[in-house]
Amino acid sequence: MKFTTMKALTTGVALSLLATGGAVAQDYGSFEGYTLRVKLIGGAQYEPLYAEIARWEEMTGATVDVLSRKNHFELDREIKQDIAAGTLNWCVGSNHTSFAPQYGSIYIDLNGVIAEDVLAGFQTLALENSTVAGRLVQLPRHSDISNLFYQKSLYEDQDNMDAFEAEYGYALTPPETWDQFRDQAMFFANAPTFYGTQYVGKDEAITGRFYELLVANGGALFDEDWNPTFNSEAGVQSVQWFKDLYDANAVPAGVLNYLWDDTGLGFASGTVALNLDWAGWASFFNDPENSQVAGNIGLVRAPTGSAGLRSGWSGSHTFSITSTCDNVDAAASFVSFLTSHENQMVEARKGLLPTRGSVWDAVIAEFEAEGNEFMVEVFETYALSMAEDAFTPPLIPEWIEVSNEIWPRLQGAILGEMTIQEALDEAADATRIIMEDAGYN
Amino acid sequence: MSSDHIQPRRKRSRDWTPALLLSPAFLVLIFVVLVPLLFSLYTSFTNYRLIRPETLYDWIGIRNYQRIFSDKHFWSAFGRTIVFLTIALNLEFILGLGIALLINRITWGQRTLRTIMMFPMMFSPILVGYQFKFIFNDNIGILNNALQDLGLSDGAIAWLVDKPLGMFTIIFAEVWMSTSVFAILLLAGLFAMPRDPLEAAKVDGCNPWQVFRHITLPFLMPFAFIAMTIRSLDVARAYDIVDVMTGGGPAGRTELLWTMIARVGYDNSRMGQANAMAYVSIMLSIAFTYYFFTKLIAARKYMGGAE
């Protein structure tokens, strides 16, 4: 199978500022009296962008009616109900590169709808990953990849350094490999008051983490004929990492019920040593009003697996326009506005990774001017990982369904209800049926 | 026109009157209940995928049923739903009975207490789910922090993850929210209870336990079975609280029929297969309802009431 990489993003980061010329005032048209109906992803980190919607309304004379503002899993259910009930009576919806392939033709091809010069401002690979069956069904808003945040003071403590070296036989420095990550998480853990790390433990979240570790360990989800191959030695090795930490109480006992907010807030609470997470939390982590670890955060790229590859599960949050939209021009204007240079800067200032190359350079320059070294380090680290490590899950309609067969078995293996091999074999059998039903083999 | 001609016409119109008066109710029932039921029954024999409306006509016979009947995870969820139902209903009955008996004894402030008692029912199940998810959180939850501060526990108890505790927490939340249904119905039973048999029993020398066991409880049982019928239908389709608190996990430890049905139907888009599961769930509800109605009739017969 083909895993789409995002290596071209580095080039985009470096060059596209020159190509687009940074922020350019744009005419978003006039849609006086029109009401644009939209369904958007909700959540603390997504909201600052929505505060800008009033400006679009002012510029165009249109009104935006936000019908939904839910997390993506709930939004996905709602969109599927709309498809089934034939009630796609709205124009713009939040989308994601991992979810988009399953929606078929409900979203229009944006090639020809969004002006070419506007599209030229986006990173080439972000647009490629937004393309399904040759159709650009979504406009990328921001991208997502995880790197490793850690509490710096723990690594500067001489007692910690001596004790760690005595126990593990190598110097205590931020982890370079997943094995070191495990060692150090176990070393720092002191349950129930302090934990070495934590991981998202359910839904597509843990499938994704398993997937990136599998790739880093030299494994793959499928072979070239779409036969599941994740029940390999690399698969077992990957699940073992989660299980070892769980068995050693190096992660909170309830971790298998955790999702992104739990892990982010956990690190901000100061009770966790290491946290593999996306950049969207960066400014929150370093804000003394919200975080106990503000001013004490180090960041390194995600570790490498046994195959010498770094983990780099990635994707983009996006916007799409429905094929039933009654005013495609207004919808196109709206998504262009939300993904404009100016608005990507709004999100980038919070740590969200832009999909326009020009924004990467502009936001780093802005942080440098402010003397915000931490955010400069964040963007430089994430730029490197987006360029060299990023890969998406298979962009196929069956991804979420396959994920739903994998994650309960991962939980079963971590909890010791079955062996890791049994769990992966069972998930592979269930996956094979899904792929056969879908006509892959 | 002679009266011989008028009479049959009036008779005919009188014959149609009940049907005409009832027709709105029948029409509503047909369109709101029967048609959706038949439609979902039909889809359970198709490969209906929510995101591909054209699959609605893809007839695959009993394949969905074959697949779920041979799926051990489905049967585990089925068994867990029965356990969940049985424990929750019995606990709600016992606690509801206790609350009703206590409130019945109060002479001052009874109305206020009755209102307070119904507060949990006024919350949305989603809110109740979040409330208990927070209370039972292993790291920042109130319960674990209280236990640790009181020196009753030195570790973080994984309430929402541990095998028996996971089921315990969702049963606890369900019981907390709905015990008042039992309490209110049983209290209504206590209010309706004639005083004569109670006084006669006391005169005959019965102790309080004998009065409760042989007079009060049999009188209340029809009310209890009505509450159980209503609640069994509610609990058998429990979804919101469980979805918020555990999502049916981890590793399916708290998976009930409806969390599984929602995942298969919406996340996996296999609405045909989900509807097949839903029909099995409906059969389970019908079985419980039939059982409780049988018990209701027996209880009323015991009390000399109508069958």
Side-chain angles (χ1 to χ4, degrees):
Chain A
M1 65 165 286
K2 180 190 167 200
F3 295 117
T4 316
T5 59
M6 291 188 174
K7 294 193 190 305
L9 292 182
T10 313
T11 321
V13 171
L15 300 177
S16 51
L17 177 66
L18 299 173
T20 60
V24 176
Q26 193 175 338
D27 177 14
Y28 289 103
S30 175
F31 308 100
E32 202 65 48
Y34 177 69
T35 300
L36 185 72
R37 292 157 61 83
V38 303
K39 294 196 171 186
L40 304 174
I41 185 171
Q45 288 139 328
Y46 305 97
E47 300 297 327
L49 176 62
Y50 305 148
E52 304 295 317
I53 291 175
R55 286 202 301 117
W56 183 79
E57 290 177 321
E58 201 179 310
M59 282 188 280
T60 61
T63 307
V64 177
D65 183 6
V66 182
L67 303 174
S68 275
R69 197 179 280 187
K70 299 176 173 169
N71 76 48
H72 212 104
F73 295 104
E74 288 174 12
L75 195 62
D76 174 58
R77 286 185 178 190
E78 190 173 303
I79 290 168
K80 284 170 179 169
Q81 287 177 59
D82 284 345
I83 296 171
T87 52
L88 281 167
N89 53 1
W90 41 276
C91 270
V92 173
S94 284
N95 206 343
H96 191 279
T97 47
S98 294
F99 284 73
Q102 61 182 330
Y103 297 132
S105 56
I106 68 160
Y107 294 125
I108 60 169
D109 184 356
L110 298 175
N111 285 307
V113 174
I114 306 289
E116 275 185 28
D117 61 326
V118 174
L119 291 179
F122 290 86
Q123 291 162 322
T124 311
L125 215 62
L127 289 182
E128 269 177 29
N129 287 331
S130 300
T131 302
V132 177
R135 301 167 70 243
L136 180 67
V137 293
Q138 51 202 329
L139 205 55
R141 167 184 178 174
H142 57 243
S143 294
D144 175 11
I145 192 168
S146 293
N147 282 312
L148 195 57
F149 293 92
Y150 62 93
Q151 290 198 32
K152 266 199 295 198
S153 56
L154 296 171
Y155 287 83
E156 292 162 358
D157 184 297
Q158 192 59 49
D159 291 344
N160 279 345
M161 288 193 246
D162 296 342
F164 182 83
E165 191 154 2
E167 190 175 344
Y168 291 92
Y170 62 95
L172 180 64
T173 54
E176 178 59 26
T177 68
W178 280 83
D179 285 345
Q180 291 175 0
F181 184 3
R182 171 172 42 200
D183 290 347
Q184 294 177 18
M186 286 182 179
F187 173 76
F188 288 126
N190 183 24
T193 51
F194 196 81
Y195 295 98
T197 187
Q198 51 192 346
Y199 45 78
V200 280
K202 63 180 181 180
D203 294 343
E204 194 224 7
I206 189 172
T207 312
R209 279 279 179 262
F210 163 71
Y211 165 58
E212 65 178 343
L213 188 45
L214 176 75
V215 173
N217 286 333
L221 281 176
F222 297 100
D223 65 13
E224 286 178 356
D225 298 321
W226 295 100
N227 294 304
T229 56
F230 54 79
N231 50 339
S232 57
E233 201 182 323
V236 173
Q237 189 187 356
S238 304
V239 183
Q240 191 69 50
W241 185 88
F242 295 94
K243 183 167 172 52
D244 287 348
L245 289 173
Y246 191 82
D247 289 345
N249 292 325
V251 291
V255 79
L256 293 177
N257 212 20
Y258 282 17
L259 278 177
W260 304 112
D261 281 357
D262 303 289
T263 55
L265 294 173
F267 185 67
S269 75
T271 59
V272 176
L274 295 141
N275 184 45
L276 189 70
D277 222 319
W278 76 329
W281 284 106
S283 63
F284 183 88
F285 288 157
N286 210 34
D287 176 2
E289 285 193 16
N290 292 312
S291 168
Q292 301 292 318
V293 292
N296 181 31
I297 310 165
L299 176 65
V300 286
R301 274 166 76 186
T304 55
S306 59
L309 300 169
R310 283 188 200 280
S311 52
W313 170 38
S314 182
S316 296
H317 284 275
T318 61
F319 294 110
S320 294
I321 299 175
T322 59
S323 54
T324 49
C325 179
D326 59 348
N327 193 335
V328 172
D329 290 342
S333 162
F334 183 64
V335 298
S336 300
F337 169 78
L338 290 178
T339 55
S340 64
H341 176 97
E342 200 178 359
N343 281 328
Q344 290 213 355
M345 283 295 287
V346 170
E347 297 213 297
R349 288 185 189 109
K350 299 285 177 190
L352 296 165
L353 307 181
T355 55
R356 288 173 171 272
S358 60
V359 181
W360 280 88
D361 294 337
V363 80
I364 289 175
E366 196 173 292
F367 285 132
E368 276 173 347
E370 290 170 3
N372 189 341
E373 289 173 17
F374 173 69
M375 289 305 284
V376 171
E377 186 191 356
V378 166
F379 271 85
E380 285 176 349
T381 308
Y382 278 83
L384 212 52
S385 55
M386 284 298 289
E388 296 185 6
D389 313 327
F391 49 84
T392 66
L395 298 176
I396 54 172
E398 290 72 26
W399 166 242
I400 298 298
E401 198 177 347
V402 167
S403 162
N404 283 340
E405 293 297 344
I406 295 175
W407 67 260
R409 272 86 176 195
L410 296 180
Q411 292 182 325
I414 294 166
L415 290 166
E417 294 201 343
M418 52 180 102
T419 67
I420 296 173
Q421 190 65 59
E422 282 169 356
L424 291 178
D425 286 346
E426 200 179 291
D429 289 343
T431 301
R432 194 170 290 111
I433 290 171
I434 292 171
M435 302 309 279
E436 282 171 5
D437 281 358
Y440 282 83
N441 39 40
Chain B
M1 202 179 278
S2 73
S3 61
D4 292 347
H5 286 95
I6 295 167
Q7 202 62 29
R9 195 176 296 163
R10 277 189 183 156
K11 187 174 181 304
R12 271 203 303 278
S13 72
R14 274 205 305 275
D15 289 345
W16 280 101
T17 305
L20 276 173
L21 290 173
L22 286 171
S23 60
F26 277 117
L27 283 175
V28 168
L29 276 176
I30 288 169
F31 285 105
V32 175
V33 178
L34 194 62
V35 170
L37 268 178
L38 289 175
F39 177 73
S40 58
L41 179 64
Y42 161 76
T43 61
S44 73
F45 296 103
T46 67
N47 184 33
Y48 182 35
R49 308 291 295 261
L50 210 53
I51 48 174
R52 297 204 190 100
E54 70 277 8
T55 53
L56 186 56
Y57 310 104
D58 186 6
W59 181 267
I60 56 168
I62 57 169
R63 191 171 170 196
N64 283 329
Y65 288 94
Q66 283 173 331
R67 195 171 266 187
I68 63 169
F69 288 151
S70 60
D71 179 2
K72 66 177 183 184
H73 297 293
F74 172 77
W75 287 115
S76 298
F78 183 86
R80 220 173 278 118
T81 305
I82 293 176
V83 170
F84 180 72
L85 241 166
T86 309
I87 296 176
L89 285 186
N90 280 293
L91 280 177
E92 286 177 24
F93 169 59
I94 293 166
L95 294 173
L97 180 62
I99 293 169
L101 289 170
L102 287 173
I103 289 183
N104 192 40
R105 303 280 293 179
I106 293 172
T107 50
W108 184 84
Q110 194 190 65
R111 209 173 287 175
T112 312
L113 265 179
R114 281 204 313 255
T115 310
I116 292 172
M117 184 182 74
M118 291 178 75
F119 276 179
M121 286 171 65
M122 298 172 192
F123 289 108
S124 140
I126 301 239
L127 281 180
V128 174
Y130 278 113
Q131 169 189 301
F132 281 103
K133 186 181 180 184
F134 173 67
I135 289 172
F136 287 116
N137 182 291
D138 60 293
N139 197 15
I140 55 165
I142 294 169
L143 187 58
N144 268 358
N145 278 300
L147 290 174
Q148 284 162 21
D149 289 346
L150 293 169
L152 298 172
S153 163
D154 58 355
I157 302 169
W159 295 98
L160 298 168
V161 169
D162 188 77
K163 198 163 197 175
L165 289 180
M167 279 301 280
F168 165 79
T169 55
I170 59 172
I171 290 172
F172 189 93
E174 186 71 38
V175 168
W176 181 86
M177 193 175 78
S178 302
T179 292
S180 43
V181 175
F182 272 87
I184 287 294
L185 284 168
L186 294 176
L187 195 58
L190 286 170
F191 287 164
M193 194 167 173
R195 310 298 303 169
D196 300 354
L198 295 175
E199 281 158 15
K202 280 176 190 163
V203 171
D204 288 346
C206 290
N207 62 31
W209 169 249
Q210 286 170 323
V211 171
F212 171 75
R213 172 71 188 82
H214 297 290
I215 298 174
T216 311
L217 193 59
F219 185 84
L220 287 180
M221 284 318 284
F223 293 88
F225 285 124
I226 288 169
M228 282 194 182
T229 310
I230 295 168
R231 286 291 302 142
S232 71
L233 295 174
D234 265 350
V235 180
R237 57 189 169 82
Y239 171 71
D240 320 51
I241 289 180
V242 187
D243 191 53
V244 170
M245 287 177 69
T246 63
R253 284 176 172 182
T254 55
E255 184 91 293
L256 303 180
L257 277 177
W258 283 96
T259 51
M260 178 178 258
I261 290 167
R263 185 172 312 112
V264 171
Y266 290 111
D267 297 355
N268 296 355
S269 301
R270 291 179 182 259
M271 196 47 90
Q273 192 176 330
N275 278 337
M277 291 178 175
Y279 262 86
V280 176
S281 170
I282 288 171
M283 292 301 138
L284 180 67
S285 294
I286 289 174
F288 267 92
T289 308
Y290 176 78
Y291 172 74
F292 287 129
F293 268 128
T294 312
K295 301 292 280 182
L296 173 65
I297 290 166
R300 293 185 68 180
K301 203 173 171 184
Y302 179 80
M303 292 303 296
E307 286 184 34

